[in-house]
């Protein structure tokens, strides 16, 4: 069987494969989630002023950004689990957190600054952010890759990168409840760097484990 015949054969099985991939991805993430939550509870925990912070729109914004990364990444990764699928027409979903951050940064810029821009950018938890998000992402990344292995992505590195975005978005959602740096500038810088690291790991591992 040549490559074109193989792709047509796999595509013909798409109606059975996609629901299976979705179910396996969901189950794998649910199994991995307690490990990430354990890391969070053991080393971080919810910030002590969380009830007060909930009245700060920029605190709420962090969760909107992280979930707008994780959920579209799940949708796109399931789409790309089919051998004939292309990113074209779907990639815009991954720009949702960028748009939210742009609006939030613009809104903060129009307000009277509570602290200098450099302090808002650097924050107090940049090092913790760069360690905590990847650490909590690793169990979720393993689960996401396991779930996507039940598909047949034609671009395994890209599928692995999306698995990294899924896990980074979910881990960042946990971390956001601990982080006392609520500035959109901090989120755009340090959350993005942490997510980029996990995405790179996902692409590297996915290029091997998702290959068929």
């Amino acid at each position: 069987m040549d490559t074109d015949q193989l792709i047509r054969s796999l595509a013909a099985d798409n109606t059975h494969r996609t629901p299976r991939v979705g179910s396996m991805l969901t189950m794998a993430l649910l199994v991995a989630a307690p490990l990430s939550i354990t890391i969070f509870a053991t080393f971080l925990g919810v910030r002590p002023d969380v009830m007060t912070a909930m009245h700060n729109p920029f605190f709420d914004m962090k969760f909107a950004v992280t979930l707008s990364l994780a959920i579209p990444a799940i949708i796109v990764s399931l789409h790309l689990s089919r051998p004939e699928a292309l990113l074209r027409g779907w990639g815009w979903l991954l720009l949702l957190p960028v748009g939210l951050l742009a609006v939030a940064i613009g809104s903060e810029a129009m307000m009277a600054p509570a602290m200098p821009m450099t302090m808002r950018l650097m924050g107090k938890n940049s090092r913790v952010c760069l360690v905590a998000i990847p650490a909590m992402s690793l169990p979720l990344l393993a689960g996401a890759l396991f779930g996507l292995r039940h598909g047949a992505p034609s671009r395994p590195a890209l599928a692995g990168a999306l698995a990294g975005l899924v896990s980074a978005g979910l881990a960042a959602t946990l971390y956001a409840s601990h982080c006392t740096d609520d500035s959109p500038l901090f989120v755009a810088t340090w959350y993005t760097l942490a997510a980029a690291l996990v995405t790179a790991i996902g692409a590297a591992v996915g290029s091997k484990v998702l290959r068929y």
Side-chain angles (χ1 to χ4, degrees), residues 14-15 18 22 55 77 103 105 117 132 136 139 143 147 154 168 175 183 208:
N14 177 53
T15 56
T18 300
H55 298 287
S77 66
V103 171
I105 290 172
M117 185 177 70
M136 291 188 293
S154 59
Y175 177 72
S183 171
K208 296 177 174 60

Side-chain angles (χ1 to χ4, degrees), residues 128-149:
V128 177
C129 179
L130 288 178
V131 173
I133 291 177
M136 291 188 293
S137 294
L138 291 179
L140 294 164
L141 176 58
L145 290 171
F146 176 82
L148 293 176
R149 272 181 59 84

Side-chain angles (χ1 to χ4, degrees), residues 23-195:
S23 298
M24 293 304 299
L25 179 60
T26 300
M27 291 178 60
L29 290 175
L30 288 175
V31 169
L35 296 176
S36 297
I37 293 171
T38 298
I39 295 172
F40 172 78
T42 303
F43 297 102
L44 299 173
V46 176
R47 58 191 280 181
D49 65 338
V50 65
M51 298 305 295
T52 302
M54 290 174 65
H55 298 287
N56 178 1
F58 292 129
F59 174 76
D60 301 329
M61 173 275 306
K62 294 190 296 186
F63 296 94
V65 169
T66 57
L67 289 174
S68 71
L69 172 64
I71 294 172
I74 290 174
I75 294 171
V76 177
S77 66
L78 289 176
H79 168 69
L80 290 180
S81 68
R82 300 175 299 175
E84 83 285 6
L86 299 174
L87 185 59
R88 188 186 306 116
W90 292 78
W92 69 270
L93 290 172
L94 302 176
L95 297 177
L96 289 175
V98 178
L100 287 176
L101 279 172
V103 171
I105 290 172
S107 299
E108 187 182 44
M110 291 188 293
M111 299 171 60
M115 61 181 69
M117 185 177 70
T118 303
M119 292 183 63
R120 285 182 279 136
L121 175 67
M122 298 304 298
K124 300 177 181 178
N125 300 281
S126 56
R127 292 183 181 179
V128 177
C129 179
L130 288 178
V131 173
I133 291 177
M136 291 188 293
S137 294
L138 291 179
L140 294 164
L141 176 58
L145 290 171
F146 176 82
L148 293 176
R149 272 181 59 84
H150 291 78
S154 59
R155 301 175 66 183
L158 178 57
L162 284 163
L165 287 177
V166 170
S167 57
L170 294 175
T173 302
L174 272 178
Y175 177 72
S177 65
H178 166 81
C179 182
T180 56
D181 293 304
D182 298 330
S183 171
L185 285 172
F186 182 90
V187 176
T189 303
W190 302 104
Y191 284 48
T192 298
L193 287 174

